[in-house]
Amino acid sequence: MFDPMPWLILSPLIWATLAFVHGPGRGGRLAVACLILQLSLAAILAQQVIAGGVRMYAVGGWGAPLGIDLMADGLSTVMLLLTQTIVLPLAFYARAYFVGHANSLRYFWPLTGYLLAAMNALFLSSDVFNIYVTLELLGLAAVGLVALVGGAGPITAAMRYLLATLLGSSAYLLGVALLYGVYGSVSLVALKPLIAADAPATVSLAAALMLLGLMLKTALFPFHFWLPPAHGGAPAPVSALLSALVIKASFYLILRLWFDLFAPIVSITAAQLLGALGAGAILWGSFLALRQTHLKMLVAYSTVAQVGYLFLLFPLATGMSAEVAESAWQGGVLQVVAHGLAKAAMFAAAGAMITATGRDEISGIAGVATRIPLTLFAFALAGVTIMGLPPSGGFAAKWLLLGAALASEQWWWIVVMVVGGLLSAAYVFKVLRQAFLPVEETASFQLLPRMLEWPILLLALASLVLGLVGIEVLSLLGAA
Amino acid sequence: MSSALVYALTGAALFVLGMAGLILQPHLLRKILAFNIMGSGIFLMLVGVAQRAGTPDPVPQAMVLTGIVVAIAATALALALARQLLDMNGEMRLPEEKTGKDRLDV
Amino acid sequence: MNFNETLPLLVLLSSLLPGLIIFALPDERHGLRSLINMVGSTLQLLLIVYMLRGVMHGEEYIYHFTILPGLDLVFKADALAMLFVPLSAALWFLTTLYAIGYLEGSPHRNRFFGFFSLCVTATIGVAMAGNLFTFFVFYELLTLSTYPLVVHRGTEQAMRAGQVYLTYTLGGGALLLVGIVWLYGLAGQVEFTHGGVLAVLWPEYTSQLRVIFFLLIAGLGVKAALVPLHGWLPLAMVAPAPVSALLHAVAVVKAGVFGIVRVVYDVYGVEFSQSLHLLMPLAVMASVTIIWGSLRALFQDDLKRRLAYSTISQVSYIALGVAIFGPMATVGGVVHLVHQGIMKITLFFCAGNYAETLGVHKISEMDGVGRRMPWTTAAFTVGAFGMIGLPPLAGFISKWYLGLGALEAQMPWVIAILLASSLLNAAYFLPVLYRAWFQPRTEAWPEEQIPMQNGRETAWLLLVPPLATAVATMLVGLFASSTLSPLTWAKMIAAREYLYWMP
């Protein structure tokens, strides 16, 4: 049987390198073609997982412990599918966005390709050390993307991001070293029964180090300081990639570790603590988003807030009845998917509005409703998901999380979710309201190419439709 | 005290030292060096682990080699960025005012 | 999937698709846009007539779509739904005609009509929702699709109104959501069923059910503009007249109060609600709203503001009818859902006509409009008399049954409320009529935009809709006992809700 797993990693590596050699023109076309291919590969993999459960692949036929095993289960397939689905429209968008910025575009395709290779490899990795390598590659490619356009702001943001991400992955690596010291293995499959059988204090230390490192990379409050300047300062296609996907990669790892590897040793107290940090992120992030005067900074702080929702999953799923835990788990993963699609659309829309008006303050986008209604419509649709209103993917996620909170009688998370939802409505409408304001006819306004607007709408619609087909995602998630 | 434990403790000490430097030192070059010290701490620990059972275990050795490659790549990128910052700002440190603070645009 | 299953979807699509197509049209394609609008809305009416026939003959139109495990979107055309759906569709048709005339020459019309269609889709969805989840989906969609209509003019005042509107409705929506999720946790997925479905949870979960009831009513009460949750409604009247007309007559306030009807009758069950002592507080809240709205209306000089406060008061008749235990009151409340809609839309159409034709916005400027615009003023008079409750107009029927219901339930104080409210209605409508008909005009009109032509007081498109609804106001009253009247339909609903009461 054809195995798409290695090709999901090789394909971006190949086109990234070729794009570097051939320059942005041909490189961009090649990237788009390969991304279509990758999307089909991910779809094939999804079908295989639905049909046959977890899939393993030994790279080069070597196999663990000396070789590298690739593994695809429901969760990793969902993430792979999400990644390819988001990157493809963004690639079209980027081609239109970077017209006239040949210099930025020169490195955009190679770096995006390497980023994608690292991310796909991360989702397919089945040992904690290999995960470290992919995590580091992902971080380096992301930092390169932030620094893409140059200039004091982006370079500073990139530097700060680099230091944060290095600190995070070092903590993670130390945890890996400790784990190997205790058990003599790095394979997820081999470690799990060992940890369940006997877990000395060193293992708890390792778990804490690994989780803390990943939380820093996920920009969970209060480790979010690096995110807004990096995501808000990068060019729009890059911001979209980073906010929609890169932080989700480290969150995916937290999920893996928490619910899989360290499931025997995690405590309800720790889960409540994670939830509390998530609540802090929701409230503080939303509040700051509301206070921003720059469009992309608002969207970036919205990411800080939305990451908080992801972490509510832990107190709702840890130590609760199987039914509650499942509903929370499903809600959390749906939130990952919904936020990924919506935030990609939102950053892309913000970039389009800034390009059209030539101003990056929120006050500068008056008149957008009349001049580029399609983009604004896409922004609003993405906003519906961010606010968690029906019939969006964000709503489906919130529904499941609320249900879990009610069933486990943890009403304090309900308050957080409701207040957070209202705050997010406040900051989304802060933008929409401005866009509806009339503007003088004389105001300069740049027309946008169609290929800049349609991918945004596509992403936004996807985040909305997710609310109606959530059950399909969940069936893939539960397939293995 | 076994030799593995000595390695482990020294490694841990280096890691903590490096982490403190990475967070506290304002100069970028020092930050980058501190990151490398952290890395060395971890590698030391892994090498110690490898020697635990009489015959050397090849897996941690391979991990250290990979880790060193990754660390070099990261260091190179960090140096390149630091160099650009030096060219633009005239000094090798991150602008102070917004470090670790949230922007309250009003 | 057979035809009966797809029918509810087709009804929704018949207003959704025109909306989406209109968004994609360039702003200048006025003819095409009007054509699409009219085709969609005619098609919708035809579908609904077909479904009405079916429901009368005992057909079931129900559509299920699973979106999450244990969570279905359900559309169902039951008797109650089929009271609200035709109202929305018919008034959408008329309001679209009216809006085409009203917005002649103003900018951003495709945006307006696009959201207008979305808004109607949401209302129809609310009406046909087969469970609370579906109801909530369209309830929130309604909030989102009406916001651009409220702020359509883009003025500072409109923006502020929009903000207040959102704050209220999204806040209410959040409460409603918590209530619904909680209920799903307790009872699982429950479809709207005549007679209610929650009685099985008695007595174990009594106190939880009470809290949930409070959450649901608070969430729905915002849109239904129950005092003290009504603050957004008088502000929202800055919207263009067709929007106010639709908002007040069918879309937003009706969605809220329709939700209350659904919760009391088809979720809790009216008998179960009564046994939990939930109806009395609701009745008191509705009564307070009726009186408070009327009192505030007295002191408004702005015509649309006076009508807005009148809406607050009148919509609570429906809530009151629901809250009085007994089939007669049910008939009165449910039938008022339709009656209030056609009366209030007449009044708003007329107010829009005065503003658009003569620039008259205030009651103090209305001296002599009756001579200048006799047809409009005649329609206004019918609407106002209906609101006061003069027989044989629509409002009289509603109040009559509410009064009977109050007697039946031995709540004589409700009669006092009804009388007081009718007097107040008269007190705030009659002076308007007096000025319009009997005061001579002494000065020029504030801003005459549409001059008198061949004895025609204003544009055709502005005149036909209020006349049509005024005639309807008379017809539903005069022929209340015919088999096709809303009253007969409401009696059928009441018969189904009271399982033990009526044989």
Side-chain angles (χ1 to χ4, degrees), chain A residues 370 389 395 406 429 433 471, chain C residues 67 108 133 140 163 166 182:
Chain A
T370 1
L389 290 179
F395 173 69
L406 276 161
F429 274 101
R433 175 183 197 280
I471 197 158
Chain C
I67 65 167
H108 315 320
F133 168 70
E140 292 293 72
Q163 200 150 0
L166 274 182
W182 196 343

Side-chain angles (χ1 to χ4, degrees), chain A residues 7-8 11-13 15-16 27-43 80-95 108-109 112-113 115-117 120 241 245:
Chain A
W7 294 105
L8 275 168
S11 161
L13 274 182
W15 65 255
R29 284 191 291 278
L30 180 69
V32 167
C34 289
L35 281 169
I36 296 172
L37 179 77
Q38 279 167 241
L39 184 58
S40 346
L41 288 174
L80 283 168
L81 210 49
L82 173 70
T83 306
Q84 322 306 319
T85 311
I86 290 179
V87 177
L88 182 57
L90 280 182
F92 282 105
Y93 173 82
R95 276 162 60 93
F108 175 78
W109 294 114
T112 305
L115 181 96
L116 215 55
N120 288 351
L241 276 175
L245 293 172

Side-chain angles (χ1 to χ4, degrees), chain A residues 136 180-181 284 291-292, chain B residues 52 57 70 84 102-103 105:
Chain A
E136 201 73 298
Y180 192 85
W284 183 236
R291 298 291 298 268
Q292 298 306 310
Chain B
R52 197 172 36 178
D57 180 353
V70 172
Q84 285 210 16
D102 288 308
R103 271 178 62 169
D105 288 342

Side-chain angles (χ1 to χ4, degrees), chain A residues 10-23 30 109-110 113-114:
Chain A
L10 284 176
S11 161
L13 274 182
I14 294 168
W15 65 255
T17 311
L18 286 177
F20 184 70
V21 175
H22 285 296
L30 180 69
W109 294 114
Y114 292 132

Side-chain angles (χ1 to χ4, degrees), chain A residues 97-114:
Chain A
Y97 184 88
F98 283 119
V99 167
H101 299 82
N103 220 20
S104 304
L105 200 55
R106 180 163 168 64
Y107 297 108
F108 175 78
W109 294 114
L111 283 170
T112 305
Y114 292 132

Side-chain angles (χ1 to χ4, degrees), chain C residues 296-315:
Chain C
R296 288 300 303 267
L298 270 181
F299 300 103
Q300 308 301 326
D301 187 33
D302 188 302
L303 182 58
K304 280 178 78 183
R305 266 184 92 86
R306 186 171 288 198
L307 293 179
Y309 277 107
S310 157
T311 302
I312 294 176
S313 157
Q314 290 280 336
V315 165

Side-chain angles (χ1 to χ4, degrees), chain C residues 238-308:
Chain C
V238 298
V243 177
S244 306
L246 204 65
L247 243 62
H248 286 249
V250 275
V252 178
V253 285
K254 280 300 164 56
V257 83
F258 186 76
I260 296 180
V261 175
R262 280 289 195 201
V263 165
V264 172
Y265 285 149
D266 293 346
V267 177
Y268 277 71
V270 65
E271 281 140 359
F272 186 54
S273 310
Q274 173 74 351
S275 72
L276 290 180
H277 308 293
L278 295 170
L279 293 183
M280 196 54 170
L282 186 58
V284 171
M285 202 170 167
S287 305
V288 170
T289 309
I290 290 174
I291 299 297
W292 176 253
S294 301
L295 280 175
R296 288 300 303 267
L298 270 181
F299 300 103
Q300 308 301 326
D301 187 33
D302 188 302
L303 182 58
K304 280 178 78 183
R305 266 184 92 86
R306 186 171 288 198
L307 293 179

